[in-house]
Amino acid sequence: MESATPVIVAIDGPAGTGKSSTSKAVAAQLGLSYLDTGAQYRAITWWMVNNGIDIDDPSAIAAAAGKPEIVSGTDPEGPTITVDGVDVAGPIRTQEVSAKVSAVSAVPEVRARITELQRSIAASAEHGIVVEGRDIGTTVLPDADLKIFLTASAEARAARRSGELKGADVQSTREALIKRDAADSSRKTSPLAKADDAVEVDTTELTLAQVIECVVTLVEEKRAGK
């Protein structure tokens, strides 16, 4: 893969569509770096909660947005994330962080800070990178070589997500996902949206292996055509 043309792939979509699993597998298979942008927003949210910042006060969030040092490891086989040198891969996945991440990530100063970080990581990826999130193709990397937007029914996404969250109730998970989608799609700064030139892949009826195969094919076709 060393000689292959570097390619920047943006994978967007709501929670539970298989973005992370697909992105990691595609990056590993094609020798690309990988970036989970959602983890960065979770990391800054975790820092805000831990440092007593009032999540209901956008101005307090904005004032603190530049303080934490967030470092993302981009190895798809073992992505890492630290805040001020502390490994937060586990703590950022708690229900508390999940419940507050939309409020924190809606603050323009937070998005500006994290977007800048994401662009610098993508720019320094020597062999190319798969970047997954909610506004990558539209805002973060509008010039990405390939943009993919994953979708799935709310039912399918809730079933997958509750499977990940061992023992979570599917109905309440579905309601939480729909609420999160509404918050992310309606925020003023960089809402969750499909880029005009993105390829939409509906994963509702597909296995993870089929989604991965589909995306790998799209990336290989893009590389071949360059």
Side-chain angles (χ1 to χ4, degrees), residues 131-213:
V131 182
E132 58 126 325
R134 285 170 160 71
D135 65 338
I136 311 306
T138 52
T139 303
V140 180
L141 300 169
D143 299 325
D145 300 302
L146 175 64
K147 299 174 190 176
I148 294 168
F149 193 85
L150 298 184
T151 63
S153 70
E155 287 70 26
R157 295 192 292 124
R160 288 172 192 163
R161 189 43 67 91
S162 57
E164 288 166 17
L165 302 169
K166 305 291 179 278
D169 172 60
V170 176
Q171 187 57 36
S172 59
T173 302
R174 179 177 177 274
E175 285 164 12
L177 284 175
I178 290 170
K179 189 176 170 187
R180 173 99 194 260
D181 292 347
D184 290 345
S185 303
S186 61
R187 64 170 177 247
K188 290 191 176 71
T189 309
S190 305
L192 163 66
K194 178 187 162 197
D196 294 337
D197 53 349
V199 179
E200 185 168 324
V201 178
D202 188 333
T203 70
T204 305
E205 302 292 335
L206 302 177
T207 64
L208 178 58
Q210 289 171 321
V211 179
I212 292 164
E213 187 184 355

